Amino acid sequence: MALSDLNPVERNDEGIAAVLGILKQRLGERFQTGQAIRSQHAHTTTYIPTQAPDGVAFPETTAEVQEIVRACATYRVPVIAFGVGSSLEGHTNAPGGGISVDTSRMNRILAVNPQDLDCTVEPGVTREDLNRHLRDTGLFFPIDPGANASLGGMAATRASGTNAVRYGTMRENVLSLTAVMADGETVTTGKRAKKSSAGYDLTRLLVGSEGTLGIITSLTLKLQGIPQAISGGVCPFPSVEAACNTVIATIQMGIPVARIELVNALQMRAMKNYSKLDYPESPCLFVEFHGSDAGVAEQAETFGMIAEENGGGPFLWTSVAEERTKLWKARHDAYWSSLTLRPGAKGLSTDVCVPISRFAECVTETEADISKMGLIAPIVGHAGDGNFHVLVLMDVNDPKEIALSEKFVARLNMRAIAMDGTCTGEHGIGQGKIGFLRHELGHGVDIMRTIKQALDPLDIMNPGKILPSVGH
């Protein structure tokens, strides 16, 4: 079944035509309707069909976002928020057409409060832009999903990444936000206080809502002090199970690891090909520690002993920044390195997350599934929090390969849910995983639908994502 058939959204041609005219008059050159730019603002990362919007708006202020949303609400036209387009589950597709709201011009850093360890930014600021701005303050924003994503998009999809084991996800690092809701009104979900017991937690409701409830126009974020010292390295293991057992022991011993990433043997082969790493072609853990000079040395040594007890090693670590940068660049380039395993193929990237006690079992069963189904699909994982990614390499023009890949992903999702885990640790639901949400949350999906209908009764905010289209 095509994804567009799974969750259709009714198209309103008359309303769309009216809104196109209004926004062209209001925004001028900051409203584009050319085919190329519309296609760029739909989902093109994997085999999910591209469903382009009818126009792309480039607002520069919250007031302009309000105008766009009010026009769309008046004529019942879908409105889809867009950051930099790095999402992986069809989040920016427009199954019923409509208007893409590109926030890239809303890229101001509004305030930095070093004493309070927080800052306020507009949604188009990217994480790399923010950290460059913060460098001289001795602070940094730790959430690192790999891509140079926009902070608004990271909040909307509840992103995390390699640092999540120590610093958490966007859920823990957004203090408050401002958003334009479906009626065009703005809401500010909180103040800068580090905690609050004042009413419903609207911040957490909007973080991870994937643009289905509102469009984020500013965020107040937690910051961290740049560590005095950082050490890191790579440790090979004879099996995925040995590597995963090392992760579990490291976490249980309370070692404050900042990053602990699993790559399986196939992924290491790809990294050796692409990034020219000189490590054994076996499962490996990429590890990093943050703290004082003495602290990171002690943590590295303790980790090395745990790895040795599980048959791993040697653990080769360094505190030299250039050497660590090479390692983490290789990890962040895992997607591109994986494509070398099957030239000409495209990658279907999917993720699940399970309790850390089930991590080894889930990864091992998944590897067996990959082998049995004859797929080429390397694995990388944020092992410290039980989250891992599989990149299925396939010919997107071959319906049989698409069907086989979808079957594999379905089995993976249901395996994770059966282990008391989730069908997605950080990619989100979008279009691609709608069919698994009820398996995971049951009646919770009906509660989500009630919230969606209350806040967006016309179903204009990114319809067709997370929940089946609620209709009018």
Side-chain angles (χ1 to χ4, degrees):
M1 179 184 293
L3 289 169
S4 55
D5 295 330
L6 176 67
N7 196 20
V9 176
E10 183 179 351
R11 183 176 173 84
N12 176 9
D13 286 307
E14 184 176 341
I16 289 169
V19 170
L20 291 178
I22 291 170
L23 295 183
K24 186 63 177 176
Q25 182 177 21
R26 175 63 184 86
L27 297 174
E29 292 303 309
R30 291 189 290 115
F31 184 69
Q32 298 290 323
T33 56
Q35 180 63 47
I37 197 164
R38 291 192 294 116
S39 294
Q40 290 166 9
H41 284 75
H43 184 92
T44 57
T45 314
T46 69
Y47 78 99
I48 296 177
T50 296
Q51 298 167 315
D54 295 280
V56 181
F58 294 87
E60 296 179 349
T61 65
T62 297
E64 288 185 341
V65 175
Q66 289 181 283
E67 287 187 60
I68 294 165
V69 172
R70 283 171 178 155
C72 289
T74 298
Y75 292 95
R76 296 193 173 188
V77 170
V79 55
I80 303 103
F82 186 93
V84 297
S86 58
S87 59
L88 294 166
E89 291 291 350
H91 297 85
T92 60
N93 259 343
I99 307 302
S100 175
V101 180
D102 185 317
T103 60
S104 60
R105 297 194 185 193
M106 299 178 69
N107 58 2
R108 294 180 299 162
I109 296 171
L110 302 174
V112 176
N113 306 294
Q115 291 180 315
D116 296 319
L117 297 177
D118 68 45
C119 69
T120 301
V121 302
E122 290 184 324
V125 176
T126 68
R127 64 175 187 86
E128 289 183 5
D129 288 340
L130 177 59
N131 281 327
R132 276 192 292 269
H133 183 86
L134 294 172
R135 190 173 296 147
D136 293 340
T137 68
L139 303 174
F140 80 115
F141 183 67
I143 308 305
D144 177 8
N148 186 25
S150 68
L151 292 162
M154 288 170 62
T157 55
R158 202 185 295 130
S160 53
T162 58
N163 281 326
V165 63
R166 174 156 181 167
Y167 299 106
T169 71
M170 288 299 285
R171 181 182 65 187
E172 292 79 35
N173 286 277
V174 178
L175 287 170
S176 67
L177 55 82
T178 298
V180 174
M181 306 304 284
D183 59 359
E185 295 297 317
T186 61
V187 60
T188 298
T189 62
K191 302 297 185 181
R192 290 196 299 116
K194 288 296 186 282
K195 63 180 182 179
S196 171
S197 295
Y200 296 147
D201 193 342
L202 298 180
T203 304
R204 301 304 178 277
L205 176 63
L206 288 169
V207 171
S209 63
E210 301 181 15
T212 62
L213 301 179
I215 297 178
I216 296 169
T217 57
S218 74
L219 310 94
T220 297
L221 306 169
K222 290 182 183 179
L223 302 177
Q224 302 287 336
I226 295 174
Q228 173 191 342
I230 301 175
S231 70
V234 176
C235 187
F237 289 86
S239 66
V240 164
E241 184 176 10
C244 292
N245 288 336
T246 299
V247 173
I248 293 171
T250 301
I251 300 300
Q252 289 177 339
M253 285 188 65
I255 298 173
V257 61
R259 308 193 216 195
I260 185 162
E261 298 284 297
L262 171 72
V263 302
N264 73 345
L266 183 59
Q267 182 65 68
M268 181 53 75
R269 180 195 304 172
M271 287 180 169
K272 286 167 67 72
N273 291 342
Y274 186 84
S275 300
K276 311 305 179 187
L277 295 184
D278 186 22
Y279 293 99
E281 197 172 296
S282 66
C284 289
L285 292 177
F286 286 50
V287 190
E288 186 169 276
F289 306 97
H290 296 176
S292 65
D293 290 320
V296 297
E298 180 182 4
Q299 293 158 21
E301 290 169 4
T302 303
F303 172 81
M305 289 188 288
I306 296 172
E308 187 176 359
E309 290 173 1
N310 284 282
F315 175 45
L316 304 175
W317 63 277
T318 179
S319 58
V320 177
E322 293 77 12
E323 295 178 16
R324 287 188 295 100
T325 298
K326 180 181 178 181
L327 294 179
W328 290 109
K329 186 176 190 317
R331 169 60 185 88
H332 286 323
D333 286 345
Y335 176 87
W336 306 110
S337 67
S338 296
L339 297 180
T340 67
L341 297 170
R342 188 180 175 187
K346 281 197 172 182
L348 166 59
S349 182
T350 190
D351 85 309
V352 296
C353 188
V354 295
I356 193 170
S357 62
R358 307 295 298 273
F359 187 65
E361 180 184 3
C362 194
V363 174
T364 301
E365 288 188 14
T366 301
E367 283 196 319
D369 225 19
I370 292 168
S371 177
K372 183 178 179 181
M373 298 176 78
L375 298 170
I376 301 175
I379 293 175
V380 298
H382 309 311
D385 46 26
N387 182 202
F388 68 95
H389 305 257
V390 185
L391 189 72
V392 183
L393 300 173
M394 63 179 181
D395 179 354
V396 296
N397 297 312
D398 185 337
K400 290 183 179 179
E401 287 201 24
I402 290 177
L404 184 63
S405 298
E406 288 184 330
K407 179 181 179 181
F408 165 77
V409 171
R411 287 171 57 84
L412 173 61
N413 291 337
M414 296 305 292
R415 180 180 304 118
I417 291 169
M419 292 182 178
D420 210 15
T422 174
C423 65
T424 175
E426 58 185 18
H427 288 185
I429 296 295
Q431 292 175 300
K433 296 203 174 186
I434 287 176
F436 301 98
L437 195 58
R438 188 170 291 278
H439 288 288
E440 183 172 326
L441 298 177
H443 180 55
V445 174
D446 301 316
I447 303 300
M448 291 183 188
R449 184 189 295 280
T450 300
I451 294 170
K452 169 72 169 172
Q453 289 175 325
L455 296 180
D456 181 19
L458 301 179
D459 194 23
I460 64 168
M461 305 300 288
N462 208 10
K465 318 298 167 59
I466 301 184
L467 303 167
S469 183
V470 298
H472 297 154

